Amino acid sequence: MKVLWIFAHPEQRSLNASLMREGLRELAEAGHETRVSDLYAMGWKAVLDAADLRPEPTGASGTDAPADGGPRLLVGAGQERAYATDTQPEDVRAEQRKIAWADTLVFHFPLWWFGPPAVLKGWFDRVLVQGFAFGLHGADGRPLRYGDGGLSGRRALVVTSVGARAPGFGPRGIHGYVGDVLWPLLHGTFWYTGMAAHEPFVVYGADRLTEEEYGGYASALRARLRALPQEAPIGFRSERGGDYDETLTLRPSIEPGASGPAVHERRPVRTSPPVRPTPRSAARPATAPAASRSADWCSR
């Protein structure tokens, strides 16, 4: 595999940073190629603004002129023009080159307020631009999305941590099933742009992990990465697969009476949360870096 690991955590002594090092070590030992985008360490600019856009040509039709007389920013069109004319900021182009190189993208972050940190959201906003990741059309003129798109042929894996215990993110947990909480990423970002989304790897109770529990998660992550090349992705229904009508609604014959994210998967509704990893005593010895063995890594 050629793996691009996009990491979004501000602390290098954190649980997440320790797990990233475990994962990268496993991939290297298995002979896979890796590149890392450590967004905080890079000082990634998270805010999409006018500097990212190629302005509308003067006098172009359809441009609304604000009170100051300048052209109104049209974000999608402006990003697409900048991409097509190779006038995007260099940091954006560098990330797109990494994506073009990779066949697997790992998105690693702590779950903050039921979503990724703002710096990663800004990475999506600035890098996955129209014309590159989406906004493409097939020979028949139909949009390429939800199973097709600019990032087709790649797989995407979320590695994340939560403070709550596993049952709270189960199918009947108060926080919502973890696959539904991550639905905007798994389906709305990854699948929309053509990437095959895999079941997320979630560390539960991250703020209170013991060293033994950390070892179990580290071993489980390494095992998950070893199996990833052969692992089946989530079976999302494709837009062009015949399951949706012209309004992009599931046909009445498909899971009649059912609704919610699970109906968009070609498999039974999930009934239990992901299995927690075995503790270190029952797994291969953990190889956590020294920093992870201190209290620092309790800060997820």
Side-chain angles (χ1 to χ4, degrees):
M1 296 187 294
K2 293 182 177 180
V3 181
L4 173 58
W5 199 294
I6 301 100
F7 183 67
H9 196 291
E11 176 55 71
Q12 292 298 322
R13 297 166 297 177
S14 65
L15 162 67
N16 279 286
S18 296
L19 286 175
M20 176 180 66
R21 289 189 286 269
E22 294 279 357
L24 292 172
R25 184 159 43 245
E26 176 64 40
L27 292 169
E29 290 173 359
H32 302 296
E33 299 178 65
T34 61
R35 296 182 183 177
V36 176
S37 289
D38 186 337
L39 301 184
Y40 281 98
M42 293 161 56
W44 177 258
K45 174 190 168 225
V47 178
L48 167 62
D49 57 23
D52 284 357
L53 311 179
R54 182 175 174 82
E56 187 81 18
T58 303
S61 61
T63 301
D64 297 330
D68 64 3
R72 182 170 67 91
L73 293 178
L74 301 176
V75 174
Q79 284 186 306
E80 185 170 14
R81 280 194 302 274
Y83 171 71
T85 58
D86 199 25
T87 55
Q88 297 175 109
E90 176 54 29
D91 60 344
V92 171
R93 286 185 285 180
E95 295 305 292
Q96 291 172 347
R97 289 193 294 268
K98 293 177 189 176
I99 294 172
W101 166 85
D103 56 51
T104 302
L105 282 72
V106 176
F107 295 90
H108 190 169
F109 56 90
L111 197 70
W112 289 348
W113 291 114
F114 294 85
V119 70
L120 180 53
K121 178 58 166 63
W123 187 92
F124 290 128
D125 292 345
R126 298 185 63 223
V127 175
L128 304 187
V129 303
Q130 187 171 307
F132 170 68
F134 73 100
L136 307 174
H137 295 78
D140 58 1
R142 294 175 57 189
L144 298 176
R145 59 194 178 194
Y146 292 116
D148 295 302
L151 306 187
S152 294
R154 294 169 178 82
R155 72 187 85 213
L157 172 67
V158 164
V159 177
T160 191
S161 63
V162 299
R165 295 179 173 88
F169 275 99
R172 294 172 59 84
I174 191 170
H175 305 300
Y177 182 71
V178 69
D180 296 344
V181 172
L182 292 170
W183 167 264
L185 276 180
L186 302 177
H187 190 266
T189 301
F190 302 160
W191 190 235
Y192 185 87
T193 59
M195 289 191 287
H198 287 252
E199 290 285 358
F201 181 91
V202 185
V203 177
Y204 296 99
D207 292 328
R208 60 182 71 87
L209 282 189
T210 65
E211 185 174 356
E212 181 181 41
E213 289 171 326
Y214 170 81
Y217 275 115
S219 295
L221 177 59
R222 294 178 70 123
R224 181 71 187 278
L225 293 171
R226 286 195 298 274
L228 191 60
Q230 291 78 41
E231 182 181 282
I234 298 172
F236 289 134
R237 302 177 188 275
S238 67
E239 181 176 331
R240 289 171 166 256
D243 291 341
Y244 299 93
D245 63 20
E246 64 279 0
T247 69
L248 299 183
T249 302
L250 277 177
R251 300 187 183 280
S253 59
I254 297 174
E255 300 200 37
S259 62
V263 302
H264 299 285
E265 298 179 33
R266 290 179 173 273
R267 62 179 181 180
V269 175
R270 301 152 169 158
T271 58
S272 61
V275 177
R276 298 195 69 181
T278 56
R280 184 187 303 179
S281 58
R284 59 184 282 186
T287 54
S292 72
R293 299 190 183 100
S294 72
D296 290 327
W297 62 262
C298 290
S299 174
R300 59 192 176 96

